[in-house]
Each structure stands twice: as C-alpha cells, then as structure tokens.
Amino acid sequence: MQQTLELSSEVLAQRLADSGLRATPQREMIYEMVLKKRDHPTADEVYARVRADMPGISLATVYNCLETLVQCDLVRAVHFERGPTRYCPNLRPHAHFHDEQSGTIHDVNLTPELLAQIRAVLPPGYDARTVEVTFRGKASPLTSSEHRVAGSE
Amino acid sequence: MQQTLELSSEVLAQRLADSGLRATPQREMIYEMVLKKRDHPTADEVYARVRADMPGISLATVYNCLETLVQCDLVRAVHFERGPTRYCPNLRPHAHFHDEQSGTIHDVNLTPELLAQIRAVLPPGYDARTVEVTFRGKASPLTSSEHRVAGSE
DNA sequence: AGTGAGATTTAGAACTATTCCAATGATATA
DNA sequence: TATATCATTGGAATAGTTCTAAATCTCACT
C-alpha cells in the first residue's frame, strides 16, 4: 500500500499549477479530508469534517474546492440518485454498488477487459470519454463487511 | 413494431390495479405523453407537454404521477448529472450515452450476455437488482443522427 | 341515486442542494 | 511596495422537489 510515497499535497499543488491555479490551505485541507476517509461524501459531509480542523471555512468554499478538484481530475463527482452530489476519491476503474437497504456505496473493481467489452457495444461514431457502471440491490451483511470498500455514513 | 397491440392505457390500468391504485385521467395522460415521445424528459418537460391537452393539471400532480409510474415499473427515473430527474420509458436493457456537447441522451442496446458479464464482477453476497451503464463523451454528428434513439430537447 | 371512506389532485408553502454575487483577503510579480 | 489576479466568504438567489391541507373525485355499498 504505497499511499504517501508521493505526498498528496504535492500531487495537488502540481495539478493545480498545471491548470494555473494556486494551492491554498482550504484546497489542501479538503483534498486531504476526501482522501483520508475513502467513501463518497456529499459537500455537506466534507464541510462537517473539514470544519473540525478549519472552523472558519465556508460551505461555498467547500463547493468551490471540490469543483476545482474535479476539474483537476483528483476526485470524481457522482450522482447515484436524486439528492446531493457525492465525491469519489477512487480514480481506478470501478463500479459502484448501491446497497438499497443501508444506503451505503461499495466500490467494485472493473478490469480493463470488461471495460473494453462494454465500450464495444457503442455504434461507430460514439466516442466515450467515460464509462460508469452502477449496481443497485442488496449486499448480504456477512459479506458486505468483508468486501466493503466505501460507503456514506 | 407492435406498439399498441396491447393498449398502453390497459397496461397502465392493470399495473395500477396490481398496486391497489386507480387509473385517473392525469395518470393516463402522463403515461401516454411519456410513451409518445421516447426521450428522457424532466418533470418540467412532461408538465409542459401535458398542459397542452390538460391545462388545469398541476406540477405536483406531474411529480406524483411520474413517481407512481416508476413504482409500477412503467418508466424508470434516471439521474445523469446534477440537475432534474429524467424519466425513461424504455424498459429494455440499455445503456445511456450522454453527448456532452449537445446534452442529448442516446439509448444503446445491451445484450443479456454483456449484462451477465457485468454482473459477474460482483463478489459473492452482492445481489444486484439493477445494472446501469452510462457513457459520457461525444457522438460525431454524421452517425449520431442515424443512431439517435432518444434525447432531451 | 345517495352516502361515506379513502384515494387523488391541487396550489402554494417549505425545503434542500447548489450557485451567484459583491466585498474582503491573500499572493505573485513587477 | 503597488498592482493585478486569484481565492474565500456570507448571504442572497435559484432550481428542483417534496410537503401540506383543503378540495375533489371515485368506488363500494345501500
């Protein structure tokens, strides 16, 4: 598990610089927070977590920073159902399993092969930048704790 | 193309009855409207279309009826991005291609085989009721008109 | 046909999530 | 250090949806 071989703050600073943006304490804090707990928080949840360490931050800034992180390809915004946008720090190809009973979300790895097969259904002329796969159903309690990767509170 | 071999109003009445609900003019009208133009309208768009024929209908009723149709499995609610819920009358297994330039949505057929393969990535204990596949990208104009199945205005 | 129970519709208020805005504060560069 | 630009902030504004309470309709039963 090489998580901090490259410091996330450096990755952030680099990506921001690439887009002509500045590294600010708010952006760093929010990026750290989203990476730390690898679930799918809403802006409000991020706001709550960040305020513990940075009490003066505003909700507008949380929205701004999350949007910036999305622009820099450091997190992804997802919309599982109607309701608040959720932010996903997992950048590897994966599907989302939405447990309808608990409301939790589990990441499920996708192989490049399967992704290629899915893309193959597109008629010529369709150029997909991204592919999203979402399951909805129930995960039986016994296995859900073992396989659980991430979920909302 | 056997679209009205079984009258859609009868299908609706049956499904409603199955759930102990009544067939009302508003429910029938909204169901007809959604079937007639097979795109992915928002509640507001349905409201606008329905009002032409039924001027007194309220937006709340449109929301209520659409929700009822979703409960009866006659249409599906989809959320492509932050923004209004869209309603999809296509009940066959299909993916959605979201053209990022035009904002239009195209249905893309999915084979049962591919769906089975996708489901196969789930670890044991995960029981998926539904699978959703969404592409985002651009459809080149030449082919998009040929393959276009449905889109928002 | 009349009546009551419950289902349905309606208008508008309330609510949630998000964006906009104008003022303030921070930063990099000349 | 002045200046231009970028970023943050709080509050107002907006969009989409849900809630609420009253009016209306429908059905089953007389």
Side-chain angles (χ1 to χ4, degrees):
Chain A
M1 267 299 186
Q2 46 149 81
Q3 205 216 28
T4 43
L5 265 195
E6 204 173 354
L7 234 46
S8 65
S9 61
E10 290 172 9
V11 176
L12 172 63
Q14 186 57 58
R15 290 293 184 88
L16 287 169
D18 291 349
S19 306
L21 302 171
R22 295 171 185 167
T24 66
Q26 290 88 344
R27 284 171 178 168
E28 282 170 1
M29 170 71 71
I30 286 170
Y31 185 45
E32 294 300 328
M33 277 300 174
V34 169
L35 284 192
K36 190 152 66 184
K37 191 172 175 190
R38 316 200 94 250
D39 54 358
H40 302 82
T42 63
D44 261 330
E45 285 165 1
V46 173
Y47 183 42
R49 292 180 201 170
V50 166
R51 261 205 297 189
D53 292 17
M54 193 181 265
I57 198 168
S58 81
L59 179 57
T61 298
V62 174
Y63 274 103
N64 290 341
C65 292
L66 286 170
E67 177 58 21
T68 300
L69 294 178
V70 169
Q71 296 310 319
C72 293
D73 267 319
L74 291 168
V75 309
R76 282 165 48 193
V78 289
H79 303 92
F80 297 122
E81 55 191 346
R82 105 147 234 72
T85 301
R86 293 185 172 274
Y87 296 87
C88 176
N90 181 352
L91 296 176
R92 343 208 89 219
H94 66 281
H96 288 120
F97 186 96
H98 196 130
D99 185 331
E100 295 179 311
Q101 325 224 267
S102 66
T104 54
I105 293 146
H106 307 247
D107 284 4
V108 177
N109 256 11
L110 290 182
T111 62
E113 294 75 46
L114 181 59
L115 278 172
Q117 282 188 297
I118 296 173
R119 280 174 183 276
V121 307
L122 287 174
Y126 283 68
D127 185 15
R129 188 178 55 77
T130 66
V131 181
E132 247 171 65
V133 177
T134 305
F135 300 96
R136 280 163 223 282
K138 56 172 184 289
S140 60
L142 275 173
T143 58
S144 74
S145 61
E146 293 165 25
H147 291 285
R148 175 167 177 167
V149 175
S152 64
E153 294 291 283
Chain B
M1 271 295 186
Q2 46 150 78
Q3 205 217 27
T4 43
L5 266 196
E6 203 175 353
L7 234 47
S8 65
S9 61
E10 290 172 9
V11 176
L12 172 63
Q14 186 56 59
R15 290 293 184 89
L16 287 169
D18 291 348
S19 305
L21 302 171
R22 294 171 182 166
T24 66
Q26 289 89 343
R27 284 172 178 167
E28 282 170 1
M29 170 69 73
I30 285 169
Y31 186 45
E32 294 301 328
M33 276 300 174
V34 169
L35 285 191
K36 189 152 68 184
K37 191 172 175 191
R38 317 200 95 250
D39 53 357
H40 302 82
T42 64
D44 262 330
E45 285 164 1
V46 173
Y47 182 44
R49 292 179 201 169
V50 166
R51 261 205 298 189
D53 292 18
M54 193 181 266
I57 198 168
S58 81
L59 179 56
T61 299
V62 173
Y63 275 104
N64 290 341
C65 292
L66 286 170
E67 176 57 21
T68 300
L69 295 178
V70 169
Q71 297 310 320
C72 293
D73 268 318
L74 290 168
V75 310
R76 283 166 46 193
V78 289
H79 302 94
F80 297 121
E81 55 190 348
R82 99 198 55 165
T85 302
R86 292 184 172 274
Y87 296 87
C88 176
N90 182 353
L91 296 176
R92 341 211 87 219
H94 65 281
H96 288 119
F97 186 96
H98 195 130
D99 186 330
E100 296 179 311
Q101 324 223 269
S102 67
T104 55
I105 293 148
H106 309 248
D107 284 4
V108 178
N109 258 11
L110 291 182
T111 62
E113 294 75 45
L114 181 59
L115 278 172
Q117 283 188 297
I118 295 173
R119 280 174 183 277
V121 307
L122 286 174
Y126 283 67
D127 184 15
R129 189 178 54 79
T130 66
V131 182
E132 247 171 66
V133 177
T134 306
F135 300 96
R136 280 162 223 283
K138 56 173 184 289
S140 59
L142 274 173
T143 58
S144 73
S145 60
E146 293 165 23
H147 291 283
R148 175 166 176 170
V149 176
S152 64
E153 297 289 283

